[in-house]
mmCIF file of all heavy atoms in Angstrom:
data_model
loop_
_atom_site.group_PDB
_atom_site.id
_atom_site.type_symbol
_atom_site.label_atom_id
_atom_site.label_comp_id
_atom_site.label_asym_id
_atom_site.label_seq_id
_atom_site.Cartn_x
_atom_site.Cartn_y
_atom_site.Cartn_z
ATOM 1 N N ARG A 150 2.148 -6.859 13.937
ATOM 2 C CA ARG A 150 3.076 -7.311 15.032
ATOM 3 C C ARG A 150 3.298 -6.189 16.006
ATOM 4 O O ARG A 150 3.283 -6.400 17.235
ATOM 5 C CB ARG A 150 4.373 -7.881 14.522
ATOM 6 C CG ARG A 150 5.285 -8.216 15.637
ATOM 7 C CD ARG A 150 6.487 -8.924 15.204
ATOM 8 N NE ARG A 150 7.185 -9.371 16.451
ATOM 9 C CZ ARG A 150 8.185 -10.165 16.449
ATOM 10 N NH1 ARG A 150 8.686 -10.681 15.254
ATOM 11 N NH2 ARG A 150 8.789 -10.497 17.517
ATOM 12 N N ALA A 151 3.492 -5.008 15.485
ATOM 13 C CA ALA A 151 3.720 -3.847 16.401
ATOM 14 C C ALA A 151 2.460 -3.571 17.205
ATOM 15 O O ALA A 151 2.618 -3.236 18.426
ATOM 16 C CB ALA A 151 4.111 -2.554 15.576
ATOM 17 N N VAL A 152 1.328 -3.666 16.598
ATOM 18 C CA VAL A 152 0.107 -3.533 17.389
ATOM 19 C C VAL A 152 -0.051 -4.470 18.464
ATOM 20 O O VAL A 152 -0.289 -4.160 19.657
ATOM 21 C CB VAL A 152 -1.174 -3.524 16.453
ATOM 22 C CG1 VAL A 152 -2.478 -3.610 17.253
ATOM 23 C CG2 VAL A 152 -1.203 -2.345 15.531
ATOM 24 N N VAL A 153 0.209 -5.797 18.137
ATOM 25 C CA VAL A 153 0.070 -6.878 19.110
ATOM 26 C C VAL A 153 1.038 -6.700 20.271
ATOM 27 O O VAL A 153 0.796 -6.851 21.420
ATOM 28 C CB VAL A 153 0.256 -8.273 18.462
ATOM 29 C CG1 VAL A 153 0.349 -9.348 19.489
ATOM 30 C CG2 VAL A 153 -0.938 -8.611 17.532
ATOM 31 N N ASP A 154 2.324 -6.350 19.887
ATOM 32 C CA ASP A 154 3.338 -6.124 20.911
ATOM 33 C C ASP A 154 2.936 -4.938 21.840
ATOM 34 O O ASP A 154 3.355 -4.928 23.019
ATOM 35 C CB ASP A 154 4.738 -5.847 20.295
ATOM 36 C CG ASP A 154 5.271 -7.129 19.668
ATOM 37 O OD1 ASP A 154 4.900 -8.202 19.967
ATOM 38 O OD2 ASP A 154 6.276 -6.934 18.864
ATOM 39 N N GLY A 155 2.158 -3.968 21.318
ATOM 40 C CA GLY A 155 1.858 -2.736 22.170
ATOM 41 C C GLY A 155 0.531 -2.880 22.854
ATOM 42 O O GLY A 155 0.137 -1.900 23.494
ATOM 43 N N LEU A 156 -0.266 -3.971 22.637
ATOM 44 C CA LEU A 156 -1.512 -4.052 23.318
ATOM 45 C C LEU A 156 -1.348 -4.285 24.827
ATOM 46 O O LEU A 156 -0.475 -4.921 25.298
ATOM 47 C CB LEU A 156 -2.276 -5.259 22.747
ATOM 48 C CG LEU A 156 -2.901 -5.205 21.416
ATOM 49 C CD1 LEU A 156 -3.487 -6.553 21.015
ATOM 50 C CD2 LEU A 156 -3.940 -4.090 21.347
ATOM 51 N N THR A 157 -2.329 -3.679 25.560
ATOM 52 C CA THR A 157 -2.403 -3.825 26.977
ATOM 53 C C THR A 157 -3.669 -4.512 27.321
ATOM 54 O O THR A 157 -4.769 -4.037 26.949
ATOM 55 C CB THR A 157 -2.364 -2.428 27.722
ATOM 56 O OG1 THR A 157 -1.090 -1.776 27.326
ATOM 57 C CG2 THR A 157 -2.314 -2.639 29.257
ATOM 58 N N LEU A 158 -3.608 -5.617 28.081
ATOM 59 C CA LEU A 158 -4.807 -6.375 28.370
ATOM 60 C C LEU A 158 -5.552 -5.693 29.481
ATOM 61 O O LEU A 158 -4.947 -5.351 30.547
ATOM 62 C CB LEU A 158 -4.429 -7.781 28.753
ATOM 63 C CG LEU A 158 -5.539 -8.704 29.337
ATOM 64 C CD1 LEU A 158 -6.649 -8.928 28.234
ATOM 65 C CD2 LEU A 158 -4.975 -10.007 29.871
ATOM 66 N N ASN A 159 -6.851 -5.496 29.393
ATOM 67 C CA ASN A 159 -7.689 -4.989 30.470
ATOM 68 C C ASN A 159 -8.243 -6.251 31.146
ATOM 69 O O ASN A 159 -9.302 -6.806 30.801
ATOM 70 C CB ASN A 159 -8.809 -4.178 29.963
ATOM 71 C CG ASN A 159 -9.676 -3.508 31.076
ATOM 72 O OD1 ASN A 159 -9.671 -4.004 32.145
ATOM 73 N ND2 ASN A 159 -10.283 -2.450 30.684
ATOM 74 N N ARG A 160 -7.461 -6.852 32.042
ATOM 75 C CA ARG A 160 -7.780 -8.128 32.662
ATOM 76 C C ARG A 160 -9.039 -8.137 33.413
ATOM 77 O O ARG A 160 -9.847 -9.114 33.191
ATOM 78 C CB ARG A 160 -6.637 -8.426 33.603
ATOM 79 C CG ARG A 160 -6.824 -9.858 34.311
ATOM 80 C CD ARG A 160 -5.649 -10.173 35.198
ATOM 81 N NE ARG A 160 -4.427 -10.253 34.506
ATOM 82 C CZ ARG A 160 -3.968 -11.254 33.798
ATOM 83 N NH1 ARG A 160 -4.628 -12.293 33.672
ATOM 84 N NH2 ARG A 160 -2.800 -11.116 33.244
ATOM 85 N N GLN A 161 -9.512 -7.048 33.983
ATOM 86 C CA GLN A 161 -10.759 -7.078 34.752
ATOM 87 C C GLN A 161 -11.920 -7.168 33.807
ATOM 88 O O GLN A 161 -12.822 -7.935 34.020
ATOM 89 C CB GLN A 161 -10.824 -5.769 35.549
ATOM 90 C CG GLN A 161 -12.054 -5.694 36.400
ATOM 91 C CD GLN A 161 -12.177 -4.334 37.188
ATOM 92 O OE1 GLN A 161 -11.436 -3.463 36.955
ATOM 93 N NE2 GLN A 161 -13.127 -4.421 38.203
ATOM 94 N N ARG A 162 -11.862 -6.476 32.688
ATOM 95 C CA ARG A 162 -12.959 -6.499 31.731
ATOM 96 C C ARG A 162 -13.050 -7.859 31.079
ATOM 97 O O ARG A 162 -14.098 -8.391 30.741
ATOM 98 C CB ARG A 162 -12.909 -5.400 30.647
ATOM 99 C CG ARG A 162 -13.255 -4.019 31.254
ATOM 100 C CD ARG A 162 -13.468 -2.964 30.211
ATOM 101 N NE ARG A 162 -14.593 -3.245 29.272
ATOM 102 C CZ ARG A 162 -15.842 -2.899 29.455
ATOM 103 N NH1 ARG A 162 -16.114 -2.242 30.580
ATOM 104 N NH2 ARG A 162 -16.742 -3.140 28.566
ATOM 105 N N ALA A 163 -11.863 -8.378 30.746
ATOM 106 C CA ALA A 163 -11.872 -9.745 30.027
ATOM 107 C C ALA A 163 -12.318 -10.772 30.942
ATOM 108 O O ALA A 163 -13.106 -11.651 30.546
ATOM 109 C CB ALA A 163 -10.435 -9.985 29.594
#
Side-chain angles (χ1 to χ4, degrees):
R150 180 173 183 170
V152 167
V153 169
D154 287 345
L156 285 175
T157 304
L158 174 65
N159 185 335
R160 185 175 301 276
Q161 184 180 13
R162 287 192 64 88

